[in-house]
Amino acid sequence: MKFENTRTVDDAVYYGSIEEPVARYLESHLKCLEEDYHIEFFLDKREENSAMCRLGIDFGDMEQAAKQEAYGVMQSLVPALLSYGRQQYIEMQLLSKKKLTMRDDPLTGMFTADYLMDRAYVLNRAEIFPTTIIAVKLKHWKETVKKLGKESGDILVQLTASILGKVAEKDYLIGRMQDDVFAVLIPLVKRGETEGYLKRVDEECRMYKDSVVAPSLAMGITATANKLDDVREKIKEAMEQLPQ
């Protein structure tokens, strides 16, 4: 499988966009398909610094009947394989960061709602302020589950969790509050820190805009200003700002 920048070739078919790390994770699977069907997969990077690539198949000088047979198989198999690879890759990334315990949401590895509320109580007791609270909702999660199935919905949730965690600082607290809602706590927030975090989240989401499963997020934001403000109540207020 070719991973370098590749020009469009004759007798090639493209199967949408894929993240380059996911393609590398699937390399052995794609290699088996290449051997079985005498084809060649390649990645076409349209932008130099982009993590997204077009996945193409070069059928070469294959006879027309054999090409039609291979094309029919790939048309149904490749999208399913990419979906599987994306899910497995995200899970692998999440598991590599932390060992899951009872305090963690099993799908994403983020804190459970109950545990995040416990941590919010600790922030109150320790009189840690100001703290910014960001509620994050996946806009089209229910539609994704309805149209593409539960597996695709889970992938969307995992991808969002991965993005929120990837661009966060080590002291941020992130929990999955509902099926499609997260909360991010930024203790002792500094001037411009909230805006900087939201910008990084937006930049990461844009990288997936051409993917079949792409995160679109709505935000609700509150903050504690003094020791009398209850972080737990501010979490609820931020969540109430989210669209239903």
Side-chain angles (χ1 to χ4, degrees):
M1 177 176 173
K2 297 179 180 179
F3 283 95
E4 66 273 14
N5 291 357
T6 308
R7 296 179 181 177
T8 302
V9 297
D10 294 335
D11 296 315
V13 176
Y14 290 94
Y15 285 88
S17 299
I18 182 175
E19 302 82 4
E20 187 170 346
V22 175
R24 294 186 182 277
Y25 177 77
L26 289 173
E27 184 174 7
S28 62
H29 297 276
L30 297 175
K31 186 67 176 177
C32 290
L33 292 177
E34 287 179 335
E35 294 173 354
D36 289 344
Y37 291 93
H38 307 291
I39 57 179
E40 183 176 29
F41 288 93
F42 62 92
L43 295 180
D44 184 359
K45 296 188 71 171
R46 288 169 290 178
E47 298 179 9
E48 187 66 27
N49 297 321
S50 175
M52 299 299 297
C53 307
R54 289 196 302 172
L55 178 67
I57 298 179
D58 182 8
F59 292 89
D61 56 357
M62 186 181 296
E63 293 183 359
Q64 189 64 26
K67 179 179 178 181
Q68 288 180 348
E69 179 183 358
Y71 176 78
V73 174
M74 295 303 121
Q75 196 172 28
S76 60
L77 182 58
V78 171
L81 183 60
L82 296 185
S83 177
Y84 163 80
R86 185 173 289 111
Q87 180 182 26
Q88 294 299 309
Y89 179 77
I90 292 172
E91 288 182 355
M92 183 178 66
Q93 292 296 101
L94 291 170
L95 289 171
S96 68
K97 292 182 178 180
K98 61 195 307 190
K99 183 178 180 181
L100 298 181
T101 67
M102 291 300 292
R103 71 181 188 180
D104 301 310
D105 172 59
L107 182 63
T108 65
M110 297 301 178
F111 294 143
T112 63
D114 288 342
Y115 188 79
L116 188 71
M117 284 298 193
D118 288 342
R119 301 307 300 171
Y121 175 72
V122 172
L123 292 178
N124 288 336
R125 289 290 300 272
E127 297 184 359
I128 294 177
F129 65 90
T131 294
T132 288
I133 298 91
I134 306 171
V136 181
K137 182 181 178 69
L138 281 160
K139 289 183 179 179
H140 307 299
W141 177 77
K142 291 182 179 178
E143 290 85 348
T144 298
V145 173
K146 184 176 181 180
K147 293 179 180 179
L148 303 178
K150 181 179 181 299
E151 182 182 271
S152 293
D154 287 348
I155 291 173
L156 187 57
V157 170
Q158 289 174 320
L159 177 58
T160 301
S162 178
I163 290 172
L164 295 176
K166 177 181 178 180
V167 301
E169 299 295 336
K170 292 182 179 180
D171 61 332
Y172 290 11
L173 304 173
I174 307 175
R176 186 183 181 201
M177 310 306 290
Q178 298 172 5
D179 287 338
D180 56 348
V181 176
F182 294 85
V184 182
L185 309 185
I186 307 179
L188 299 174
V189 61
K190 299 180 286 292
R191 184 184 299 274
E193 187 174 4
T194 301
E195 293 79 5
Y197 177 69
L198 294 177
K199 181 179 179 181
R200 295 194 298 273
V201 169
D202 182 65
E203 290 172 348
E204 286 290 321
C205 288
R206 288 177 182 273
M207 293 177 62
Y208 297 90
K209 62 183 177 65
D210 295 326
S211 299
V212 175
V213 180
S216 178
L217 309 179
M219 305 282 189
I221 303 174
T222 58
T224 61
N226 55 63
K227 66 180 182 180
L228 299 179
D229 287 337
D230 191 326
V231 179
R232 293 169 297 182
E233 292 302 317
K234 292 295 182 180
I235 291 175
K236 295 176 183 178
E237 289 178 17
M239 292 176 63
E240 288 171 356
Q241 296 176 18
L242 299 173
Q244 299 301 313

